[in-house]
Amino acid sequence: MNRAQWNQLADTFETEVCDIAREETRDQLGRFVRAVALSPKTSVLVDLGCGVGSFIRKFHHRFHDVTAVEFAPRIIARAKKNCTDVPRVRWLTMDIPRSAKAIGTVADLTVCMNVITSPSHAKRNSIWKTVAQVTKPRSHALIVVPSLESERMVRRVGRETPAALAGGLVQRDDAVQKHFERGELVSTLSRAGFAPMRIARIYYPWSKEGMRKPRSGGGKGPWDWVCLARRNSGGRARKP
Ligand SMILES: C[S@@+](CC[C@H](N)C(=O)[O-])C[C@H]1O[C@@H](n2cnc3c(N)ncnc32)[C@H](O)[C@@H]1O
């Protein structure tokens, strides 16, 4: 989806978009954030594609400074409103790949949640590259991406004829979204210059799939992959 399409979702963000920091059902993000050594006196958070600011609202107290990047002006306006009482946030209304220069290599934790979903390999690459550029060596990135395994489960449960999911590309309403298998996420992060430390399922409600909880076969529900990864200490990242 492009900037204009995202902008149109600003008013209905909560109903139309999976805002994982608000909707996850098992505090997985909290567990992953607590696994990183952070100081509210010094640590820097960079949120790439911050949406309406739900992660910042929930976790800002663990950081001293926050930089939030979002290219849809009406969405970032909502994030600012939701975070009026959060101190020291720098809001950047721009495309993520352009933000690396403005931000610098400052993040103790970079989060990028459900943003690296473009069907274009080149566009995804430029965001992976930015994640690496803004994260300090040996510091961490917290990445959430749609799960291809979950998509297959949801289709099985919904008795849908399996459509081709070549390259992990899935049609969602009007948009095609890249989904990742667990192994692909691990190898992509490695190529981007990160060592994956922890990876887990982060569950969200069935209603986000437009479905009721099934009586059987649905496990704990649909999920995204969440990964905590450590930035390598030196050298250039290879192209993901
Ligand atoms: C699915 S939402 C996720 C928002 C937030 N990270 C969350 O988890 O709730 C994706 C967000 O990323 C923004 N976005 C997508 N591509 C972007 C890009 N290239 N540069 C800046 N923002 C982008 C969209 O406008 C949207 O707000």
Side-chain angles (χ1 to χ4, degrees):
M1 274 167 57
N2 63 27
R3 180 169 164 272
Q5 289 168 314
W6 276 112
N7 218 25
Q8 277 178 357
L9 288 181
D11 293 335
T12 51
F13 196 90
E14 285 81 353
T15 49
E16 303 277 333
V17 179
C18 185
D19 180 346
I20 201 74
R22 205 170 42 84
E23 293 185 281
E24 65 148 323
T25 54
R26 290 163 181 255
D27 190 34
Q28 196 67 275
L29 280 183
R31 267 195 283 278
F32 275 50
V33 173
R34 287 192 291 275
V36 184
L38 296 166
S39 157
K41 292 194 178 145
T42 56
S43 294
V44 175
L45 167 68
V46 173
D47 188 342
L48 299 174
C50 67
V52 294
S54 303
F55 184 89
I56 296 170
R57 266 228 69 74
K58 208 163 173 181
F59 296 107
H60 71 90
H61 59 279
R62 302 186 57 94
F63 300 88
H64 188 262
D65 289 293
V66 177
T67 295
V69 182
E70 169 61 57
F71 67 0
R74 294 185 59 224
I75 293 180
I76 203 168
R78 291 207 50 208
K80 288 180 191 173
K81 220 170 174 184
N82 287 341
C83 298
T84 40
D85 55 342
V86 178
R88 295 178 299 280
V89 189
R90 184 180 176 211
W91 300 100
L92 298 177
T93 310
M94 60 170 76
D95 194 14
I96 290 166
R98 280 191 46 231
S99 69
K101 237 184 171 170
I103 297 172
T105 306
V106 296
D108 296 285
L109 183 69
T110 303
V111 305
C112 191
M113 301 191 311
N114 281 332
V115 178
I116 310 175
T117 56
S118 168
S120 153
H121 195 259
K123 284 192 179 159
R124 293 198 305 273
N125 267 357
S126 60
I127 298 184
W128 286 118
K129 192 171 159 198
T130 310
V131 175
Q133 284 171 324
V134 301
T135 308
K136 293 197 290 195
R138 291 185 295 280
S139 288
H140 293 83
L142 184 61
I143 304 294
V144 175
V145 291
S147 157
L148 192 54
E149 295 88 336
S150 173
E151 177 66 19
R152 291 194 189 109
M153 181 278 286
V154 168
R155 287 180 183 217
R156 234 182 2 255
V157 167
R159 298 189 201 287
E160 271 184 52
T161 342
L165 298 172
L169 300 184
V170 174
Q171 183 77 40
R172 289 253 156 179
D173 303 321
D174 296 340
V176 176
Q177 257 193 1
K178 168 69 180 166
H179 285 49
F180 291 78
E181 285 182 340
R182 192 184 192 282
E184 183 187 9
L185 175 59
V186 169
S187 57
T188 306
L189 271 162
S190 306
R191 284 195 300 274
F194 287 89
M197 315 288 295
R198 282 182 180 204
I199 182 159
R201 297 174 180 197
I202 182 166
Y203 293 98
Y204 56 85
W206 278 99
S207 55
K208 282 285 153 186
E209 296 289 352
M211 292 165 76
R212 291 226 193 107
K213 186 173 186 232
R215 289 220 181 101
S216 65
K220 293 174 184 158
W223 74 90
D224 289 330
W225 290 120
V226 56
C227 183
L228 182 68
R230 194 171 64 215
R231 177 89 177 89
N232 296 339
S233 50
R236 288 171 69 86
R238 284 174 291 147
K239 265 193 163 177

